[in-house]
């Protein structure tokens, strides 16, 4: 009896990996889709309005002004700004397109991660299918992780996503170059490696500053996986020289910068927010452990964007977990280094993670805690687990079950979280519930309650927290708004607001945004007790705040608001004096134009012209922009003769208003 030929599989084995990856991408698209209908949030409004700051981005002149206008860090993040033009060229705009582009970028990053893990896996197992199975699974566990929702659906965090995108491209180019070098193609190998180390580092850094970590991450690969594929002879010499110049040297320079920043922050900024630089360094190990817990014990709902109540470490003993957290982080890093030969995948995951956190979780005085900081460092986090699960020689059924169950579980958690991100009111209430001590979370929830016709609930939410944190001006401002809905501002609410103004730390742009709206309410007279004398008392309290006396930006804001109140009272001379004093804190043509337009539109064009004359007298005192994108932006404005033309246009309008009182003057900004 003749034997039958073996039956051909329905799907060739080589197609399992691409089909598996495609399935993962479709699941990710499904899980994230409900979150696309969510609104813009918080920092979105600090970055995206640049799309309309100089008018719609429809000409090259406006394009260059927009592209160089970023201020998130010294780089200005122009690559991220450029990407926002995919979704809109003016402001305001609808959020759906921005979020959809973020989601597409998330899917692309998942594919790039799978390709990178496959290339790295081939270093350990040149033949066989384990490397490709582990690559797809490792990428799936990262791509579908619910912690990444707060990066993907937070529009402004496209900066972090683009930095990771170029880091992945850079690591892929570097690994290709190394493979070519080992195959004897020396020049092509060096060229590919330099494309990754130089070109992609540049693009990643100009997306977000932590992209500058790419050379250090390459060194992590060399210290862990690539020790298994050593070079010899002249190849080794040439490769090591390239590494020293384009990887080790940039990494050392970055380390020196971080050390210098820490020293500067300690000496010259003793209390940046509610902590000092040494306290931040003590707190970050506890933050990192919290990140790791969220990565390895995922849950659908976390503190989200509100982490201002995270307890600061005041010493090694307070809180009690400060020293254990610090020692634990040190132990992990030491283990990662020791395991680089015996357990290279574990070593890679550990060292890659902590290297990826080196900028945002060390000496730069940023906020203590943000979930999106995990996006890049966690890229290979789950690869060791995926590698173990992909070895089906033992525990085949158990591993196969986990291989299917883990991505599905993560996708369901991501679906829950993304759905929440699609409903801003539910999100606000849940964040407030999870963060009972967060002033920001409670103020945000109170805004929704007040907007939904529940001012009593909003007041009940705000009062206890304001009593515990009387310096939280956002709570006090929200309480004033709520009191207006309840019939009028009480003496207690007004005093709480004055206390907050007198004791607050740096409130950022909150002052100008809130007072800008409050002036209209006070002039309308619809809310008893919410009037110009109240606003004046708040500004006076702010001007007496010792914490703000050395902050020229906030002093300018306060005197500018003072001038607006004076204009509303009809005291034009006092308003002009306030504007001139405000100008002295930060001599900027944009501020001079805005203040002059305020005077002109209030019917005082001669005073507006006098203010512009004053600006011309002190213009030479304008501070020079520091190194970075600010300097390039200033050069662009000079080359376009932007401010001289804008101020001349404003002067012409003011002169016409002087001759004809019925002519109205509007701000050019």
């Amino acid at each position: 009896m003749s034997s039958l030929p073996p039956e051909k599989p329905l799907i060739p084995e080589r197609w399992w990996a691409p089909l598996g990856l495609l399935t993962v991408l479709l699941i990710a698209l499904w899980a994230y889709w409900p979150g696309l209908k969510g609104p813009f949030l918080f920092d979105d409004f600090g970055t995206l309005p640049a799309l309309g700051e100089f008018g719609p981005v429809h000409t090259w002149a406006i394009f260059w002004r927009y592209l160089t206008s970023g201020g998130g860090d010294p780089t200005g993040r122009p690559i991220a700004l450029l990407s926002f033009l995919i979704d809109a060229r003016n402001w305001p705009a609808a959020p759906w397109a921005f979020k959809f582009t973020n989601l597409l970028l998330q899917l692309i990053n998942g594919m790039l991660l799978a390709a990178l893990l496959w290339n790295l896996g081939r270093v350990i197992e040149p033949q066989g299918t384990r490397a490709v199975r582990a690559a797809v699974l490792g990428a799936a566990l990262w791509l579908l992780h619910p912690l990444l929702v707060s990066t993907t659906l937070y529009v402004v965090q496209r900066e972090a996503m683009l930095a990771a995108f170029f880091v992945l491209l850079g690591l892929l180019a570097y690994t290709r170059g190394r493979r070519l070098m080992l195959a004897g193609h020396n020049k092509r190998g060096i060229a590919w490696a330099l494309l990754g180390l130089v070109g992609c580092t540049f693009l990643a850094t100009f997306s977000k500053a932590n992209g500058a970590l790419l050379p250090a991450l390459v060194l992590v690969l060399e210290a862990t996986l690539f020790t298994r594929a050593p070079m010899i002879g002249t190849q080794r010499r040439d490769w090591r020289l390239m590494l020293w110049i384009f990887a080790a040297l940039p990494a050392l320079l970055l380390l020196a910068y971080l050390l210098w920043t820490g020293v500067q922050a300690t000496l010259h900024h003793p209390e940046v927010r509610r902590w000092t630089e040494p306290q931040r360094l003590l707190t970050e190990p506890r933050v990192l452990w919290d990140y790791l817990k969220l990565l390895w014990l995922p849950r659908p709902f976390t503190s989200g964007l509100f982490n201002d109540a995270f307890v600061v470490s005041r010493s090694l003993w307070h809180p009690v977990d400060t020293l254990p957290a610090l020692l634990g982080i040190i132990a992990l890093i030491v283990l990662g280094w020791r395991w680089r030969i015996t357990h290279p995948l574990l070593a890679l995951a550990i060292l890659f993670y902590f290297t990826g956190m080196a900028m945002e979780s060390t000496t730069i005085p940023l906020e203590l805690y943000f979930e999106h900081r995990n996006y890049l460092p966690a890229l290979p986090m789950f690869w060791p687990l995926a590698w173990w699960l992909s070895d089906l020689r033992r525990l085949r059924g158990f591993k196969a079950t986990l291989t299917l169950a883990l991505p599905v579980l993560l996708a369901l958690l991501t679906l829950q979280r993304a759905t929440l991100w699609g409903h801003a009111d539910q999100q606000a209430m849940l964040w407030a519930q999870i963060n009972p001590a967060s002033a920001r979370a409670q103020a945000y929830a109170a805004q929704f309650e007040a907007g939904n016709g529940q001012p009593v609930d909003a007041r009940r939410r705000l009062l206890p927290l304001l009593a515990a944190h009387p310096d939280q001006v956002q709570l006090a401002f929200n309480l004033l708004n709520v009191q207006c809905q309840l019939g009028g501002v009480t003496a207690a609410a007004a005093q709480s607001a004055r206390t907050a103004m007198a004791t607050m730390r740096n409130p950022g742009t909150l002052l100008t945004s809130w007072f800008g709206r409050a002036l209209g309410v006070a002039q309308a007279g619809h809310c008893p007790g919410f009037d110009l004398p109240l606003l004046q008392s708040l500004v006076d309290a702010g001007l007496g705040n010792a914490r703000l006396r050395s902050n020229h930006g906030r002093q300018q804001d306060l005197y500018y608001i003072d001038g607006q109140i004076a204009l509303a009272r009809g005291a034009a001379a006092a308003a002009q004096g306030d504007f001139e004093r405000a100008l002295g804190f930060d001599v900027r043509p944009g501020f001079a134009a805005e203040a002059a337009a305020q005077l002109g539109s209030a019917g005082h064009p001669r005073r507006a012209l006098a203010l512009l004359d004053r600006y011309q007298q002190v213009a030479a005192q304008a501070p020079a922009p520091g190194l970075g994108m600010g300097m390039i932006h200033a050069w662009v404005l000079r080359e376009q003769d932007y401010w001289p033309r804008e101020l001349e246009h404003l002067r012409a309008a003011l002169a016409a208003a002087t001759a004809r009182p019925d002519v109205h003057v509007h701000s050019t900004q």
Side-chain angles (χ1 to χ4, degrees):
M1 185 176 182
S2 60
S3 61
L4 294 173
E7 187 178 348
K8 274 191 168 183
L10 208 57
I11 301 175
E13 188 173 342
R14 67 178 182 274
W15 287 105
W16 279 113
L19 287 176
L21 183 58
L22 177 61
T23 302
V24 169
L25 295 174
L26 291 175
I27 291 173
L29 185 66
W30 165 77
Y32 271 101
W33 195 263
L36 297 182
K37 62 182 180 180
F40 291 118
L41 293 168
F42 312 119
D43 288 349
D44 291 340
F45 296 103
T47 298
L48 298 178
L51 287 163
E53 181 180 357
F54 301 100
V57 187
H58 292 155
T59 68
W60 282 111
I62 296 176
F63 170 80
W64 289 114
R65 292 200 293 269
Y66 163 72
L67 195 66
T68 59
S69 65
D73 54 48
T75 70
R77 305 176 183 179
I79 304 296
L81 291 179
L82 182 65
S83 77
F84 293 135
L85 293 176
I86 297 171
D87 312 302
R89 295 189 179 182
N90 201 0
W91 186 261
W96 194 93
F98 290 86
K99 291 176 182 282
F100 181 68
T101 302
N102 275 24
L103 177 54
L104 290 181
L105 183 57
Q106 169 73 349
L107 301 180
I108 292 170
N109 283 345
M111 290 188 288
L112 291 176
L113 178 58
L116 176 64
L117 297 181
W118 176 58
N119 277 280
L120 297 179
R122 290 165 66 191
V123 176
I124 300 172
E125 185 192 76
Q127 305 297 329
T129 58
R130 184 179 182 184
V132 69
R133 288 199 303 268
V136 172
L137 180 56
L141 296 179
W142 177 85
L143 178 63
L144 297 171
H145 201 289
L147 189 63
L148 305 189
V149 170
S150 59
T151 306
T152 306
L153 294 181
Y154 194 3
V155 172
V156 75
Q157 289 312 322
R158 187 179 302 174
E159 302 162 344
M161 301 178 74
L162 282 169
F165 169 77
F166 288 114
V167 165
L168 285 166
L169 285 182
L171 294 176
L172 280 166
Y174 180 82
T175 55
R176 175 172 173 78
R178 206 176 192 286
R179 202 164 55 248
L180 287 169
M181 196 78 170
L182 287 170
H185 305 292
N186 293 11
K187 290 184 179 179
R188 288 175 58 200
I190 291 287
W192 274 98
L194 289 179
L195 177 64
L197 276 171
V198 179
C200 290
T201 297
F202 177 86
L203 293 171
T205 303
F206 280 86
S207 299
K208 191 177 180 181
N210 66 338
L213 291 166
L214 175 53
L217 296 173
V218 163
L219 294 178
V220 170
L221 292 184
E222 285 288 343
T224 53
L225 291 181
F226 291 149
T227 56
R228 293 170 172 257
M231 297 179 187
I232 58 174
T234 57
Q235 278 189 335
R236 182 185 182 194
R237 182 199 63 198
D238 294 345
W239 196 259
R240 291 188 69 177
L241 179 63
M242 184 268 297
L243 275 177
W244 271 107
I245 296 174
F246 296 103
L249 181 59
L252 288 172
L253 290 174
L254 182 56
L255 176 61
Y257 170 76
L258 293 174
L259 292 173
W260 178 82
T261 301
V263 172
Q264 292 292 103
T266 300
L267 294 179
H268 302 296
H269 303 282
E271 190 172 359
V272 179
R273 291 183 174 89
R274 56 190 175 93
W275 36 261
T276 63
E277 181 64 18
Q279 289 169 349
R280 185 182 197 276
L281 291 173
L282 288 175
T283 306
E284 284 306 307
R286 294 175 40 243
V287 172
L288 290 171
W289 278 112
D290 206 61
Y291 291 158
L292 290 170
K293 181 173 67 175
L294 291 175
L295 284 166
W296 286 101
L297 298 172
R299 55 181 187 266
F301 309 123
T302 68
S303 56
L305 305 184
F306 295 111
N307 299 286
D308 51 302
F310 195 89
V311 178
V312 176
S313 292
R314 304 294 177 183
S315 70
L316 285 171
W317 328 110
H318 180 75
V320 293
D321 58 342
T322 300
L323 181 59
L326 176 61
L327 294 176
I329 295 296
I330 294 172
L332 270 181
I333 295 173
V334 170
L335 281 175
W337 182 254
R338 293 192 63 179
W339 286 345
R340 69 190 189 281
I341 304 299
T342 57
H343 301 88
L345 272 68
L346 283 173
L348 171 65
I350 293 170
L351 297 179
F352 194 102
Y353 183 77
F354 290 114
T355 301
M357 286 291 183
M359 288 190 72
E360 295 177 301
S361 297
T362 55
T363 59
I364 298 177
L366 305 170
E367 291 272 8
L368 294 176
Y369 190 120
F370 272 125
E371 292 175 358
H372 66 256
R373 292 174 185 167
N374 289 275
Y375 191 86
L376 187 154
L379 285 170
M381 175 68 69
F382 308 106
W383 189 37
L385 173 61
W387 188 265
W388 179 75
L389 290 173
S390 298
D391 181 5
L392 300 177
R393 293 171 299 181
R394 298 177 181 174
L395 303 175
R396 185 183 184 91
F398 174 72
K399 290 180 179 180
T401 301
L402 280 183
T403 297
L404 293 174
L406 288 178
V408 170
L409 174 63
L410 292 176
L412 292 174
L413 295 176
T414 294
L415 175 65
Q416 285 184 275
R417 196 169 194 202
T419 301
L420 183 70
W421 275 72
H423 296 85
D425 52 346
Q426 297 175 22
Q427 187 181 52
M429 295 302 111
L430 183 62
W431 278 345
Q433 180 182 343
I434 294 174
N435 302 287
S438 167
R440 297 173 186 173
Q442 302 307 320
Y444 186 54
Q447 290 174 18
F448 277 91
E449 287 175 328
N452 292 332
Q454 301 170 289
V456 174
D457 293 335
R459 183 176 61 180
R460 188 182 301 118
R461 178 182 300 280
L462 293 169
L463 284 175
L465 204 59
L466 186 56
H469 304 283
D471 62 336
Q472 291 294 327
V473 70
Q474 57 191 329
L475 295 175
F477 284 172
N478 273 278
L479 182 59
L480 292 178
N481 297 339
V482 168
Q483 287 297 151
C484 280
Q485 285 188 273
L486 291 171
V489 173
T490 62
Q495 184 56 44
S496 293
R498 284 189 286 269
T499 299
M501 288 289 292
T503 57
M504 65 182 173
R505 294 178 173 85
N506 187 359
T509 59
L510 177 62
L511 287 182
T512 51
S513 61
W514 185 81
F515 274 98
R517 297 187 298 270
L519 271 168
V521 176
Q523 289 177 286
H526 298 318
C527 175
F530 198 101
D531 49 24
L532 293 178
L534 170 65
L535 298 186
Q536 185 67 64
S537 71
L538 296 180
V539 173
D540 291 342
L543 290 171
N545 187 333
R547 289 174 168 171
L548 299 182
R549 284 176 188 159
S550 61
N551 189 323
H552 286 188
R554 298 295 80 79
Q555 290 293 305
Q556 183 176 72
D557 290 344
L558 286 166
Y559 278 105
Y560 176 63
I561 296 165
D562 205 39
Q564 289 180 301
I565 295 173
L567 270 183
R569 290 190 288 107
Q576 180 184 344
D578 283 329
F579 290 155
E580 289 184 358
R581 187 162 184 180
L583 178 63
F585 284 102
D586 186 8
V587 179
R588 290 183 290 113
F591 178 83
E594 178 65 32
Q598 289 274 340
L599 284 166
S601 61
H604 307 285
R606 288 187 174 84
R607 293 192 178 278
L609 287 168
L611 178 61
L612 291 180
D613 291 338
R614 177 59 182 163
Y615 165 71
Q616 293 297 335
Q617 294 170 6
V618 299
Q621 300 175 19
L627 288 174
M629 190 56 68
M631 180 182 294
I632 298 174
H633 184 64
W635 177 82
V636 168
L637 294 179
R638 283 197 307 271
E639 287 296 303
Q640 295 183 2
D641 202 29
Y642 178 76
W643 281 117
R645 287 189 294 104
E646 290 294 308
L647 293 178
E648 187 59 35
H649 176 76
L650 180 57
R651 279 183 177 277
L654 290 169
T658 302
R660 294 179 54 195
D662 58 318
V663 174
H664 295 284
V665 179
H666 301 283
S667 169
T668 60
Q669 292 297 294

